[in-house]
């Protein structure tokens, strides 16, 4: 928001400056004023973008590696969340920064089992972040709010139609809720959107043949949804689960 106001101010000053200086009419100042507005906005937006890249890099670094215990994993997540929260100050400067940071915080809280905290951030998250919307859908599934679950997953597959995992998780939740026919339709839509993806094709075929919808092909990302317990080899030395930072592509 601030970036836009500053850029508008610069453009207006240039436009009025040309008029008041006698160089030309107000109309003569519109083109240079518009150019000044666009250039100023792009420069300011890039500055915020660079600062966000540094922030996200620090968050990723914090979450890298295998924690040796649940306590260490939780401490890493808490530090990463604090880093992200500091980035919310950029929301006043640039559009869509806040919703994207809320998406990342929501995912971290969800993966660390803080479902109330996750939901509060998912409510402010970007609808374009399909992973956050899918986790919100999984959260609604766990709370048996199946109407909201479908709304969130529909938003997820709309934004991330080329991500097979999202379609598979959506279908898995429907199958668990005894909605096999709906799950078949979802997988069918997923295959239509990703005609060359063998994992989705196999998932659809399995369900059509009354077999269990297995999520192994979608590991390790599948474990981040916390809907099934990972095998022992996925756990850290002290019983902690690895938390992986998942940026929106």
């Amino acid at each position: 928001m601030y970036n836009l106001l500053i850029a508008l101010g610069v453009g207006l000053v240039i436009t009025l400056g040309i008029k008041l200086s006698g160089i030309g009419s107000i109309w003569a100042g519109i083109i240079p004023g518009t150019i000044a507005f666009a250039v100023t906005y792009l420069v300011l937006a890039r500055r915020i973008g660079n600062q966000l890249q540094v922030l996200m890099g620090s968050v990723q670094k914090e979450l890298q590696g295998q924690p040796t215990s649940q306590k260490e994993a939780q401490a890493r997540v808490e530090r990463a969340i604090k880093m992200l929260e500091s980035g919310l100050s950029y929301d006043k400067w640039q559009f869509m920064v806040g919703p994207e940071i809320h998406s990342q915080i929501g995912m971290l809280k969800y993966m660390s089992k803080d479902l109330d905290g996750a939901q509060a951030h998912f409510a402010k998250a970007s609808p374009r972040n399909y992973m956050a919307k899918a986790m919100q859908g999984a959260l609604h599934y766990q709370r048996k709010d199946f109407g909201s679950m479908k709304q969130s997953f529909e938003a997820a597959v709309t934004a991330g139609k080329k991500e097979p995992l999202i379609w598979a998780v959506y279908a898995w939740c429907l199958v668990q809720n005894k909605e096999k026919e709906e799950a078949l339709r979802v997988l069918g839509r997923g295959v239509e959107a990703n005609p060359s993806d063998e994992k989705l094709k196999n998932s659809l075929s399995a369900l059509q043949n009354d077999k269990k919808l297995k999520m192994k092909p979608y590991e390790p990302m599948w474990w981040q949804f916390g809907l099934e317990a990972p095998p022992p080899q996925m756990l850290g030395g002290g019983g902690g689960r690895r938390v992986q930072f998942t940026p929106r592509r």
Side-chain angles (χ1 to χ4, degrees), residues 118-186:
Q119 182 53 39
H121 286 280
F122 283 150
K124 302 175 183 178
S126 169
R128 298 183 300 170
N129 191 312
Y130 57 80
M131 196 68 171
K133 297 305 293 184
M135 286 188 178
Q136 184 183 42
L139 189 158
H140 288 311
Y141 162 77
Q142 293 178 70
R143 292 184 165 175
K144 302 187 185 304
D145 185 353
F146 301 119
S148 296
M149 177 197 83
K150 292 178 182 179
Q151 289 180 0
S152 295
F153 273 120
E154 284 297 326
V157 296
T158 297
K161 64 181 180 180
K162 294 299 183 180
E163 179 53 66
L165 172 67
I166 305 302
W167 294 100
V169 177
Y170 188 3
W172 187 92
C173 290
L174 289 168
V175 169
Q176 304 308 307
N177 196 38
K178 312 295 185 184
E179 296 183 74
K180 179 182 174 182
E181 292 304 316
E182 183 65 24
L184 284 168
R185 285 192 286 271
V186 165

Side-chain angles (χ1 to χ4, degrees), residues 220-236:
M221 295 293 287
W222 160 243
W223 302 123
Q224 295 193 21
F225 287 88
L227 298 174
E228 286 185 323
Q233 61 266 29
M234 292 292 294
L235 299 176

Side-chain angles (χ1 to χ4, degrees), residues 96-111:
M96 297 306 298
V97 168
E100 184 58 33
I101 291 179
H102 281 296
S103 298
Q104 302 294 345
I105 294 175
M107 288 190 288
L108 287 177
K109 285 184 174 288
Y110 176 86
M111 287 187 283

Side-chain angles (χ1 to χ4, degrees), residues 15 20 47 65 69 74 90 93 104 109 131 151 167 170 194 210 219 242:
T15 301
L20 296 175
R47 179 176 67 89
S69 67
Q74 187 61 36
Y90 296 128
W93 289 88
Q104 302 294 345
K109 285 184 174 288
M131 196 68 171
Q151 289 180 0
W167 294 100
Y170 188 3
N194 301 272
D210 295 321
E219 297 174 7
R242 181 177 184 177

Side-chain angles (χ1 to χ4, degrees), residues 180-181 184 203-213:
K180 179 182 174 182
E181 292 304 316
L184 284 168
S203 294
L204 177 59
S205 178
L207 209 56
Q208 288 172 332
N209 290 286
D210 295 321
K211 296 180 180 179
K212 183 179 179 181
L213 178 57

Side-chain angles (χ1 to χ4, degrees), residues 34-122:
T34 301
I35 293 173
F37 159 75
V39 170
T40 301
Y41 185 77
L42 288 174
V43 169
L44 292 174
R46 180 172 294 181
R47 179 176 67 89
I48 295 297
N50 291 338
Q51 291 173 333
L52 284 172
Q53 284 185 349
V54 172
L55 174 64
M56 293 303 182
S58 297
V59 172
Q60 288 179 319
K61 185 177 180 180
E62 182 63 48
L63 296 175
Q64 283 177 348
Q66 182 76 29
T68 58
S69 67
Q70 184 63 39
K71 183 178 180 180
E72 181 189 345
Q74 187 61 36
R76 289 189 184 186
V77 170
E78 289 175 358
R79 288 195 295 268
I81 288 174
K82 287 182 179 179
M83 292 179 187
L84 288 167
E85 287 174 341
S86 70
L88 288 173
S89 60
Y90 296 128
D91 188 39
K92 297 178 180 179
W93 289 88
Q94 186 67 32
F95 291 111
M96 297 306 298
V97 168
E100 184 58 33
I101 291 179
H102 281 296
S103 298
Q104 302 294 345
I105 294 175
M107 288 190 288
L108 287 177
K109 285 184 174 288
Y110 176 86
M111 287 187 283
S112 61
K113 299 301 183 183
D114 179 4
L115 298 188
D116 288 336
Q119 182 53 39
H121 286 280
F122 283 150

